[in-house]
Amino acid sequence: MPEREQKHRSTSTKRETEEETDEHSASTASGEKLKAELDDILDEIDEVLEENAEEFVRSYVQKGGQ
Amino acid sequence: MAIVKVCGIETEYGIHSNNSHDNPVSLSSLLVNSYVTDLERAGWDFENESPANDARGFSATNGQPPQIETHLVNAVLTNGARYYVDHAHPELSTPECANPLELVLYDKAGEEILRRSVASANKYLPAESPVTVIKNNSDGKGNSYGCHENYLMDREVPFSRIAKQIITHFITRIIMVGAGKVGTELAGNSRAIPFQLSQRGEFFEEEIGLETTLKRPIVNTRDEPHADPARFRRLHVIVGDANMSEVSTFLKVGTTALVLAMIEDNWLDNADIMLANPVHAIHQVSQDVGLSTVLELVNGTTATALQLQWQIFELASDYVEQNGLSVLGDEEVGKIMMERWESTLESLESDPMSLSDQLDWVAKYRLLQAYMDRHNASWTDPRLRAIDIQYHDINPEKSLYNRVGMERLVTDNEINKAVVTPPRDTRAFFRGMCLAKFSNEIASANWDSLVFDLKDGPLKRVPMMDPLKGTADHVDTLIQGSKNATELLHGLEVQ
């Protein structure tokens, strides 16, 4: 693995440095936003998830597939 | 020199209704029939249709399962796709595509066709038991259905070499392209397995074989090229999951097409990446959420799936440096694919959850974790299985995939266009354009031929034995300039 990493890094160091700088600052700044988004998604899922999950899961049967 | 990896995907969709009287074969036929019927009647306009009855005997009024034709339907569409009922599932085969990004587009167009079919079919079904279509690969009870990839290969390359050399990629690519699944469906698994990277992985029991429904093999030996058998082979790949994520589909097809080209060019002949026990390894990788399980290699050493993917990526980088990316059909698409492959492996190494807006299994895993945290639920809670299935629902109002902010590679406008128009760079162009313009004069359409009925004289068959002939460059002018099929066929003869 170290050998691979060294070779790999050497081929892409420049691009990585540029992109990671942007991504890191962006992800730090938006960490709270992401969590809020996930909360929103969970709210939505509570709304759209099949009401009787157990029955839905039980009745979903698919035979005759490849 | 490797040939361009013309590619396509066949997807068997899960189909469900809460009416226990509906059987999946009838429902699947209804989907395909009602889609095709709406096309014929509405002339591509789906919006203004509200039929109460249909000449075929559909009825929306009595609340009973509709009376429909029970023969297995098989339609060829103007985008070059084939849409049919296979066993007890609706199945859509994309048209042949010349590059992996185009295949992402046509895979999504296939989903849109199923979505429109659901809307058409539900007009014939009672409102309280509409049909639901799920793009996944298992029902959670041990029944699996496939998403098969196809790649054009040079017939001169011995099959044994392809099989031997592709198997490590088939198994280790799962860390990028698995669709994720709650639990296990194998009765023999006594150990608790909360989550797997792959829907399909645990169903594989053999290394190589012809079967697709029993004793599934990692490398399928079906030899049905749908093209000149002296020149071409179609590698039929049954080991993959159906992906909702466009990035996952792009990586699945792009990396595999490139590795197959490398095999054609003897690039992997000395690669030391052979797995000692592939069947055991695919089960291990599927269960390896931590990406740390070591797999035994033939050479006596071990490596993780991620390490093996890095090795394959490095070999691919060297290959591309020497040979370019024309085998992927488009150099620019090829470059994007290589960058995405590398960045995905980097992220899997440093922070897999950062891919939760890109890869299916990561998105699903993160969602399930968050749901468990909020509801204090465990992995065996049926709501988690419901989330697992509903992630793959193609109805945008139900689909959980639609709600988790996944990165897009193609636009809705492009998808809507691809529902009705074929790819320009393969023979699918000829097939699709002829069906759009001369459908009244076409007796039958297939992957490798079109048969015309000109009303006077015998049927005329136009063979399409080379998937890279019949492109827009070759035939667009002729098709545009032909008023009818007689003129078209005359023009083809002159050519």
Side-chain angles (χ1 to χ4, degrees), chain B residues 276-293:
Chain B
N277 186 343
V279 174
H280 183 51
I282 197 171
H283 296 179
Q284 288 179 292
V285 173
S286 186
Q287 296 168 16
D288 187 18
V289 178
L291 304 179
S292 57
T293 301

Side-chain angles (χ1 to χ4, degrees), chain A residues 31-66:
Chain A
E32 285 303 306
K33 187 163 162 279
L34 279 174
K35 191 172 176 301
E37 277 172 10
L38 195 55
D39 274 341
D40 289 345
I41 292 167
L42 290 171
D43 288 342
E44 280 192 53
I45 287 177
D46 286 336
E47 280 172 32
V48 301
L49 193 63
E50 289 290 333
E51 278 181 27
N52 189 342
E54 194 161 3
E55 168 61 17
F56 170 63
V57 168
R58 190 193 58 73
S59 66
Y60 185 69
V61 178
Q62 303 288 315
K63 292 197 170 153
Q66 291 201 52

Side-chain angles (χ1 to χ4, degrees), chain B residues 92-161:
Chain B
L92 190 133
S93 294
T94 67
E96 307 89 327
C97 295
N99 74 68
L101 189 57
E102 187 164 66
L103 185 48
V104 172
L105 176 63
Y106 280 88
D107 183 61
K108 281 288 160 186
E111 259 176 68
E112 177 61 22
I113 288 165
L114 267 291
R115 204 169 289 123
R116 293 179 186 189
S117 303
V118 168
S120 294
N122 280 339
K123 290 185 288 196
Y124 304 107
L125 294 169
E128 65 274 16
S129 52
V131 62
T132 295
V133 169
I134 308 284
K135 190 190 185 193
N136 71 353
N137 303 103
S138 117
D139 66 359
K141 299 163 189 72
N143 301 308
S144 184
Y145 32 102
C147 174
H148 300 171
E149 303 142 60
N150 297 287
Y151 301 91
L152 189 71
M153 298 203 64
D154 187 338
R155 174 64 67 171
E156 283 189 4
V157 181
F159 186 80
S160 57
R161 187 167 100 215

